Amino acid sequence: MISAIHPLLVRGWSSRAPLAAAFLAALAILSPASKAQTAATPASSKTAAPAHKHPAADPAPSAPVKTIGNHTAPITMEVFSDYQCPSCGNFYETTLRSMIQDYVASGKVYLVHHDFPLQMHNYSGQAARWANAAAMVGQFPEVDAALFDNQAKWTADGDLEKYVATGLSPANFKRVQAILKGCTGPAPTSKVDHTLPQPEAGCPVDPYIIQDIVLGTQVPVQATPTFVIHYKGQSYPASSGFITWPILKQFFDTLLSQ
Amino acid sequence: MTANETRGPLARTLLILGRLALAAIFLFAAYAKLKPQAAMRWSGSSIKTSLSLFAMQVDSYQLLPPQMVSPAAHFLPPFELFLGLWLFSGVLLRYASLTTTLLLSAFFAVMVRTYTAGLEINCGCFGPGERLGPLTLLRDGSLLALALAVTIGAFMLRRKRRHESAPVAGVSAPQRAD
């Protein structure tokens, strides 16, 4: 399952992949939701169409596609992010937004989002649930933007639902709400002691969040945002913190000129 | 043999060891920043890529405006290489160690400021992938102390040599490089 979803990442940290693959295989067997969605994942990740243009009217929710852009783009950038972390919000608003409008839109970069909700943040796990549910109905970019755009507001009042609704049509919002119907308990987050969180039975998005946390632990993600850039099958060392778009763009241009 | 006579060679040996340790550290720091990343081979392109990657680490400190980040990232590793070679040569050691102390002071001040501001970033001290934290601060603080000790030692040695080589009864002493 892991290699089907994240072939580039697994190639980058192949030495630790068997352990994670074993864990995720066990998780997939235990989780009825992920069992049903495993078959749909490779197809959605291999589609040539940009993820944000997936039809929103899919009859049944599929595995979350938390990507923006064309997967055939020469550069892939994987971002491990926490929706409640201020640096992540700043990074999205000032760097990723420009990147999406410029290099993702022009097919140079394929952006892959991974959830890495931190234990210290009250609502980041729940925000990740909303993002994953939206990604199941092909609305990830919209909810991703809505969450970061309103980060200060929902961090203050905890009312995620209100702000997620601003990024979706009423019909899609209802579908997302339906997916999260069984998610009533605490959302999974990464732990300070590196133990893995348990998915809530009946919450179909939790296994995907935990899967991202496992991947992040392999990198290893020590702070958010952390991002890994891949080019021509090679993975470059992970970087953490806020980077401005001109400097990130310069790195992309250096890679593309090789 | 007097205490002063035994202390002299010991101080000189410590000064040489400190100088060589600093030289090795700076040469390694430059190498770690310039070395090819992601299975590339040494080439102009690989160095350009490594420096662009280092620029992202410089940028993450949020200290310099974007237009200054790239020049700083392209200047620092070659300067560290130059400083490492200068320390290794031992030529004009007072000035080499003083430059090293000033550079390490600047690095340390920036790191302390970044850490106390709560920014969770990579240090970038010895290439990518090392988080800025108490251990990196302790290490760089120790390096700064070493550089300061070498600088003080180099100046004291110079002063001692001046005294020793001061003209006695009209006999002039040969000039030294440092």
Side-chain angles (χ1 to χ4, degrees):
Chain A
M1 188 167 96
I2 185 171
S3 58
I5 297 171
H6 308 290
L8 290 164
L9 195 62
V10 169
R11 204 181 307 153
W13 291 282
S14 54
S15 58
R16 294 178 190 167
L19 278 175
F23 168 79
L24 289 169
L27 202 64
I29 292 163
L30 291 172
S31 161
S34 58
K35 212 189 293 178
Q37 288 146 6
T38 304
T41 304
S44 57
S45 66
K46 281 178 184 168
T47 179
H52 64 278
K53 291 192 177 160
H54 283 186
D58 280 348
S62 57
V65 180
K66 296 182 283 184
T67 60
I68 304 177
N70 191 329
H71 84 282
T72 59
I75 296 171
T76 297
M77 180 173 175
E78 300 196 64
V79 182
F80 292 83
S81 193
D82 172 322
Y83 283 109
Q84 202 177 336
C85 119
S87 287
C88 301
N90 196 15
F91 186 53
Y92 179 86
E93 295 296 343
T94 56
T95 303
L96 293 184
R97 193 182 288 281
S98 302
M99 186 186 92
I100 291 165
Q101 287 165 357
D102 192 347
Y103 276 33
V104 172
S106 61
K108 291 176 181 170
V109 176
Y110 179 54
L111 179 63
V112 181
H113 169 92
H114 295 294
D115 290 297
F116 203 80
L118 302 173
Q119 194 177 10
M120 63 192 278
H121 292 144
N122 292 339
Y123 307 116
S124 59
Q126 197 58 33
R129 277 178 168 171
W130 281 102
N132 278 264
M136 281 179 158
V137 297
Q139 298 293 299
F140 171 73
E142 291 78 3
V143 170
D144 190 42
L147 286 170
F148 280 127
D149 289 349
N150 299 289
Q151 188 193 56
K153 295 172 191 164
W154 59 257
T155 296
D157 63 15
D159 190 358
L160 281 151
E161 202 166 335
K162 184 168 78 184
Y163 299 106
V164 169
T166 62
L168 296 170
S169 66
N172 278 327
F173 183 62
K174 273 186 185 169
R175 295 174 71 199
V176 170
Q177 272 184 316
I179 291 169
L180 295 182
K181 207 175 173 183
C183 307
T184 52
T189 58
S190 65
K191 307 287 183 195
V192 177
D193 61 5
H194 300 299
T195 55
L196 283 170
Q198 292 301 309
E200 184 182 357
C203 183
V205 295
D206 280 5
Y208 296 105
I209 298 170
I210 295 170
Q211 176 182 290
D212 279 354
I213 292 170
V214 171
L215 282 169
T217 308
Q218 287 175 57
V219 170
V221 173
Q222 296 172 319
T224 54
T226 288
F227 60 89
V228 184
I229 292 167
H230 311 274
Y231 180 66
K232 288 186 178 173
Q234 299 296 329
S235 301
Y236 287 83
S239 297
S240 296
F242 172 77
I243 314 285
T244 56
W245 170 233
I247 301 301
L248 185 61
K249 184 172 176 279
Q250 179 186 280
F251 182 63
F252 289 155
D253 289 341
T254 307
L255 290 181
L256 292 168
S257 67
Q258 278 176 16
Chain B
M1 193 178 272
T2 65
N4 272 347
E5 282 169 331
T6 53
R7 219 180 288 151
L10 181 66
R12 278 195 194 96
T13 308
L14 286 175
L15 194 61
I16 290 169
L17 287 176
R19 167 171 73 80
L20 291 178
L22 283 174
I25 288 161
F26 270 86
L27 289 174
F28 178 71
Y31 165 77
K33 291 177 187 104
L34 294 169
K35 72 175 181 183
Q37 300 291 338
M40 288 178 85
R41 290 183 179 180
W42 278 102
S43 64
S45 176
S46 81
I47 292 172
K48 202 176 160 192
T49 305
S50 298
L51 289 174
S52 289
L53 194 65
F54 179 57
M56 291 202 289
Q57 286 161 3
V58 174
D59 193 34
S60 67
Y61 278 89
Q62 299 178 31
L63 189 73
L64 298 172
Q67 61 270 26
M68 291 293 293
V69 169
S70 193
H74 282 73
F75 168 77
L76 275 175
F79 186 65
E80 286 177 335
L81 179 66
F82 165 75
L83 210 51
L85 293 172
W86 190 9
L87 285 163
F88 188 77
S89 72
V91 174
L92 295 173
L93 179 61
R94 288 165 297 150
Y95 302 112
S97 56
L98 184 63
T99 309
T100 306
T101 304
L102 291 174
L103 185 66
L104 284 173
S105 301
F107 285 166
F108 190 64
V110 168
M111 286 168 72
V112 169
R113 172 200 166 271
T114 306
Y115 183 70
T116 51
L119 294 182
E120 295 182 326
I121 61 167
N122 286 343
C123 169
C125 313
F126 294 96
E130 185 191 13
R131 190 184 177 184
L132 175 63
L135 282 179
T136 46
L137 287 176
L138 183 67
R139 183 195 59 203
D140 276 47
S142 306
L143 286 179
L144 175 58
L146 176 64
L148 195 60
V150 170
T151 306
I152 292 169
F155 273 95
M156 285 174 70
L157 191 67
R158 170 67 179 165
R159 180 182 279 187
K160 195 180 168 196
R161 279 178 179 161
R162 257 195 195 157
H163 280 296
E164 284 172 359
S165 61
V168 179
V171 180
S172 63
Q175 293 294 310
R176 292 187 68 95
D178 60 349

